[in-house]
Every structure is written in structure tokens, then in C-alpha cells.
Amino acid sequence: MKNIYVVMGGLGKNIIFTSLIPSLCQKDEAEHISIITGWPYLYTSNEQVDQVLPAPGWKHEPILEQYDNVIYHEPYLSNYIKDKNIHIVNDWANGLGITLTNPKPYIKHTYYSNLENDYSLSEPLTKKYCVVQVNGGNEVYGKNVNSPRDYRLDLVQQLLLKIRNQLDLDVVCFRLESEPKPSNTITFKSKSEKGVLGILPLIEKAEFVVTIDSALMHFAACTDKKTIALWNTSQTSPERIGYNFQTNLICNNDIAIDIDPNHIMEKLNGTN
């Protein structure tokens, strides 16, 4: 069976989908599947992906005639949005009729290890470092402000000060230019569409990752790096879109994540 699967939505959602590819190949009894997506560079290096196409319009697309089926299941328009106890990967698996064989996302290492010209850092690294993402509101609440799934700005400053002073690390911040810039951090900047993948080799060489529910969390899940994920369950939860092999810390309020920086440091130091 030669099928092509449609994956809509954001960067993190597409990273999660890569964990389904081995099971989809098994279901289709095929060595490869094809993908329709707005994030082609996440899939083009995957050994089990044949063709990657952009999202089509409403007209007939002759290029799709080569496939037996165009298949699309959208978790955000399914039981996933009414059942708070189902993980997005399980909803996808149920909708696509597969049993999961590898629930860990995957981006081929050799593909993203040579992207030095596709990204830059606002300052050179001079010592060991960690990688953080503390904002990810996509400007829903305006530029340079917190959204409820972001880490509260004053607590960000407290945490990063502890990381720099107690652990003697530089801090690389994965952020958009329109998002708040924590003091004394080094900003990761993508120079091309695929340049965002340059964060992966930086993650692999980092001491650890601290992140909200965001693209960085999903990129970190492609590696074996120690990761602390911060959650506001008024927005979503690790049971719905996180990873049980990361350390998940939760709170619940309507303003922003307010997890005590001391608690995060305890988890980083292995004392709690």
C-alpha cells in the first residue's frame, strides 16, 4: 500500500508525528511513507519517508494520483479535545489504526549536524552551557509579554541567575525576537527555514534543557538529554502532549507558570 499522510499544525506537533512513522510503515507493509506538511525539513532526512509535499489547495493535484490513499487524522478535531486523559500520540494512533512501536520522535542526526551556516548565536559560547525556552505564546497576547503557558518573567530571572552562579553555565535561549529576552542569555537565531534544526546539536552538547511546552521540548525529546519540562495545567499537561522520559514539573493558574526556581534547581542537581 502506497499512502501519503497529511500533518497539519505547528513545529512541535510535526516533531511528535515522526514517532508514528515506523508504525505507519508497518501498517502499510511498506518501507516508506510520504508526507504532506508545512515543515518539510523535519521529514526529508527520515529513512522511512519517501516524498515530502507541501499542503495542496482545493484543486485536483495530479501528483497525488500515484498514491492509493491521502490520509488525514486531526487530533485537534477529534476526541482528543474532549478527553483530557488521552495523549496526542495515542489519539493519532487510534485514528490511523496503528499500534505504536516507537513513541519517541526522531530526526536523523547526520542531517542536522552540519548546519553551522544556517543558524547563529548572539554571542559565542565560552564555557559549558544549558539550553532554555521560557516563552512560546506565539504573540497571542502581544509582543514581549507572558502567556499562561510561559514561565513567569521574574522567576525566569531568578532561575537563570542560579544556573549561572551555582552551576557556572552559559544559558542559550531558544526564542523569537518578539518574545522577552532574559538578561545575560545567548539567543539562538535561525538564518534559514531549516536552520531551526541547528538547536539539536546544541542540545546534544548542552548540560541539560529547561523548557516549557514548546518546540524545544519536542526537539529535546529527539535526544537523550536531561530535560526539565514546565507545565501550566490550566493550558495542557504532560499526560496530553509531553514525554514520560522527561522530568515534568506542573502548576495550575491563569497567569503564567510559577514553579519555584529552587524546586527546578533541586531537580537539576538530583537532590529531589
Side-chain angles (χ1 to χ4, degrees):
M1 187 71 69
K2 186 177 181 181
N3 293 327
I4 186 166
Y5 293 85
V6 182
V7 192
M8 304 300 287
L11 179 56
K13 188 161 166 258
N14 274 261
I15 296 171
I16 297 173
F17 190 86
T18 63
S19 65
L20 303 172
I21 292 173
S23 296
L24 291 172
C25 288
Q26 187 177 56
K27 178 183 74 77
D28 291 350
E29 298 182 346
E31 293 184 5
H32 307 91
I33 61 168
S34 293
I35 303 285
I36 290 175
T37 180
W39 306 89
Y41 52 84
L42 296 177
Y43 301 95
T44 50
S45 67
N46 192 302
E47 300 90 340
Q48 291 184 289
V49 173
D50 181 20
Q51 194 169 18
V52 182
L53 299 177
W58 53 269
K59 297 186 296 182
H60 171 251
E61 296 286 349
I63 193 172
L64 297 177
E65 292 178 358
Q66 63 184 294
Y67 297 102
D68 295 302
N69 300 288
V70 177
I71 299 175
Y72 179 41
H73 173 73
E74 178 50 71
Y76 293 171
L77 296 171
S78 74
N79 286 338
Y80 175 72
I81 59 174
K82 78 172 185 67
D83 187 346
K84 68 178 182 180
N85 296 314
I86 189 169
H87 195 281
I88 189 171
V89 169
N90 296 113
D91 182 82
W92 251 322
N94 293 337
L96 296 172
I98 58 175
T99 300
L100 291 175
T101 58
N102 181 24
K104 185 177 175 68
Y106 169 74
I107 301 174
K108 188 176 180 181
H109 172 82
T110 54
Y111 178 66
Y112 62 74
S113 60
N114 298 307
L115 292 174
E116 292 87 353
N117 295 325
D118 291 278
Y119 72 89
S120 65
L121 297 176
S122 59
E123 301 173 31
L125 291 166
T126 58
K127 56 186 176 182
K128 293 181 179 180
Y129 64 92
C130 66
V131 182
V132 304
Q133 184 174 1
V134 293
N135 290 87
N138 298 320
E139 300 182 17
V140 172
Y141 293 80
K143 294 184 178 181
N144 288 302
V145 297
N146 268 149
S147 77
R149 74 167 182 166
D150 297 339
Y151 195 25
R152 210 176 76 198
L153 293 176
D154 60 316
L155 298 179
V156 170
Q157 294 300 139
Q158 293 178 37
L159 174 64
L160 300 189
L161 183 63
K162 291 177 183 293
I163 288 174
R164 288 192 297 269
N165 290 348
Q166 296 179 23
L167 304 179
D168 191 29
L169 298 177
D170 276 340
V171 178
V172 174
C173 191
F174 189 71
R175 54 179 284 273
L176 297 175
E177 288 294 328
S178 57
E179 294 172 342
K181 182 183 185 300
S183 300
N184 301 313
T185 57
I186 299 170
T187 299
F188 173 92
K189 297 180 179 180
S190 176
K191 295 180 180 179
S192 68
E193 186 180 58
K194 67 178 181 179
V196 68
L197 297 180
I199 198 65
L200 282 161
L202 286 172
I203 290 172
E204 291 185 332
K205 295 176 182 177
E207 297 300 298
F208 54 81
V209 171
V210 178
T211 178
I212 61 169
D213 166 25
S214 62
L216 182 64
M217 180 186 76
H218 299 297
F219 277 132
C222 297
T223 75
D224 296 321
K225 189 58 57 179
K226 180 176 183 177
T227 299
I228 308 291
L230 310 179
W231 298 85
N232 185 351
T233 55
S234 72
Q235 304 299 301
T236 186
S237 69
E239 291 77 20
R240 288 176 54 76
I241 201 165
Y243 303 94
N244 59 15
F245 51 83
Q246 296 178 338
T247 299
N248 296 295
L249 305 181
I250 65 172
C251 69
N252 185 289
N253 65 63
D254 296 326
I255 305 300
I257 294 170
D258 62 353
I259 296 168
D260 187 340
N262 290 314
H263 186 35
I264 298 172
M265 292 300 295
E266 290 172 353
K267 292 297 182 181
L268 290 173
N269 291 322
T271 57
N272 187 342

